[in-house]
Amino acid sequence: MDNSEGYQDYAFIAELYDYVTPYRERQDVAFFVQAAQEAGGPVLEVGCGTGRVLIPTARAGMAITGLDASAHMLKVCRERLAQEPPEVQERVELVQGDMRDFELGRQFDLVTIPFRPFQHLTTVAEQKQCLETIHRHLLPGGRLILDIFNPKMEALTADNVGQELGDEPDFTMPDGRVVSRRFRIVSRDYFQQVIRTELIYDVTHPDGRTERLIHAFPMRYLFRYEAEHLLRLCGYEIEALYAGYDQSAYGSTYPGELIFVARKPQ
């Protein structure tokens, strides 16, 4: 990604990403693989990162293009992909590009944005630009799956700015480094709906040396009807809204997710 507001190059995160426990155990992969199989045609994953969703999709027999702005994340994805059988590798194309403005020269039956990258776009103008760019890349009748978090009011108003929080289990890297991760809310802008967050990685090396790595970024949260209006404004029809990757109905759990399935009209 470039150096504008809301973008990070993920230089050190790329190496650690696949070992972070909440990412490794996230229950969304089967949902996106099934959606790709149901679409039946080529898939574009926006914000594909290290291939956490992309590679299982290719293993399931689907042709998939992965777009990401981070050269570091794509490097890890290519390394992971190189360990796959040739027939899996042949189903994948990786492209470095900005989700707000890209041109691939073809259209897809399904475009997915798993696990929040859309929320690194911190203005409505950027969000519209992204959704309109994706709309151009969808075939008529094609679908977009947009995965964002449902804002939890208690979390938005908690008196915890500046505090280090989190109780994730430590994880160990292949080279023996032990990593503990926590997070800190740096600020909340209630008018722009932007939260500035730091993910704090405390690393202990096998020789006992320690270091602290900090990944700082803003995220913009959207509420249910705001997201619906934004999608409609950009030319989509809302087909479904799920609270979870088991396709549970919105409102069945709180806060749940905001998983939109939106269609480009024929």
Side-chain angles (χ1 to χ4, degrees):
M1 296 180 177
D2 65 20
N3 293 321
S4 64
E5 182 72 13
Y7 286 79
Q8 305 291 331
D9 65 7
Y10 287 81
F12 76 84
I13 296 300
E15 180 188 16
L16 304 177
Y17 189 90
D18 290 323
Y19 300 93
V20 176
T21 302
Y23 302 165
R24 193 172 63 245
E25 297 180 352
R26 190 168 173 77
Q27 298 298 305
D28 59 347
V29 174
F31 170 83
F32 285 107
V33 170
Q34 179 182 339
Q37 291 172 320
E38 290 175 354
V43 179
L44 169 63
E45 182 183 335
V46 175
C48 66
T50 63
R52 185 183 64 85
V53 174
L54 178 142
I55 291 174
T57 303
R59 286 178 187 150
M62 305 307 301
I64 183 166
T65 298
L67 178 106
D68 203 283
S70 168
H72 300 283
M73 298 290 269
L74 288 174
K75 178 177 181 290
V76 173
C77 188
R78 289 190 182 96
E79 290 169 352
R80 291 187 59 196
L81 195 58
Q83 300 172 23
E84 296 291 323
E87 61 270 21
V88 174
Q89 297 181 38
E90 291 168 1
R91 297 185 190 115
V92 176
E93 179 183 5
L94 297 178
V95 178
Q96 185 174 0
D98 187 324
M99 70 171 70
R100 298 167 296 184
D101 184 19
F102 60 88
E103 181 51 65
L104 302 180
R106 59 192 184 281
Q107 292 179 307
F108 299 83
D109 288 288
L110 175 68
V111 178
T112 65
I113 316 180
F115 200 19
R116 330 288 199 225
F118 186 77
Q119 295 183 264
H120 289 297
L121 305 177
T122 56
T123 69
V124 174
E126 288 181 322
Q127 292 169 347
K128 284 182 75 272
Q129 189 178 9
C130 174
L131 291 175
E132 289 166 353
T133 297
I134 290 171
H135 195 273
R136 293 198 307 271
H137 284 80
L138 274 172
L139 287 163
R143 290 173 174 82
L144 163 67
I145 300 180
L146 175 63
D147 173 15
I148 59 180
F149 67 77
N150 192 28
K152 184 177 181 180
M153 299 307 297
E154 295 87 343
L156 293 180
T157 58
D159 184 17
N160 57 10
V161 171
Q163 299 176 24
E164 289 191 20
L165 306 167
D167 56 1
E168 295 177 16
D170 295 353
F171 60 92
T172 303
M173 297 293 291
D175 61 6
R177 285 174 293 166
V178 178
V179 184
S180 174
R181 191 178 80 154
R182 293 167 68 78
F183 72 92
R184 175 166 54 211
I185 303 297
V186 177
S187 66
R188 297 189 186 96
D189 184 337
Y190 292 113
F191 297 100
Q192 301 300 322
Q193 296 176 201
V194 172
I195 302 170
R196 297 184 179 276
T197 302
E198 292 178 347
L199 293 177
I200 303 164
Y201 296 78
D202 287 311
V203 183
T204 302
H205 292 257
D207 62 4
R209 180 170 55 91
T210 62
E211 63 177 329
R212 170 166 279 203
L213 305 172
I214 297 179
H215 182 203
F217 56 91
M219 289 193 83
R220 187 173 190 274
Y221 53 91
L222 294 84
F223 294 97
R224 181 246 178 111
Y225 293 112
E226 175 187 9
E228 286 191 4
H229 289 315
L230 183 62
L231 285 163
R232 291 195 172 99
L233 181 65
C234 295
Y236 297 87
E237 296 176 351
I238 310 297
E239 283 199 345
L241 172 57
Y242 301 124
Y245 304 106
D246 59 355
Q247 301 187 27
S248 52
Y250 179 78
S252 60
T253 183
Y254 180 78
E257 309 288 337
L258 286 174
I259 305 167
F260 288 93
V261 180
R263 188 172 67 89
K264 178 178 180 176
Q266 296 277 6

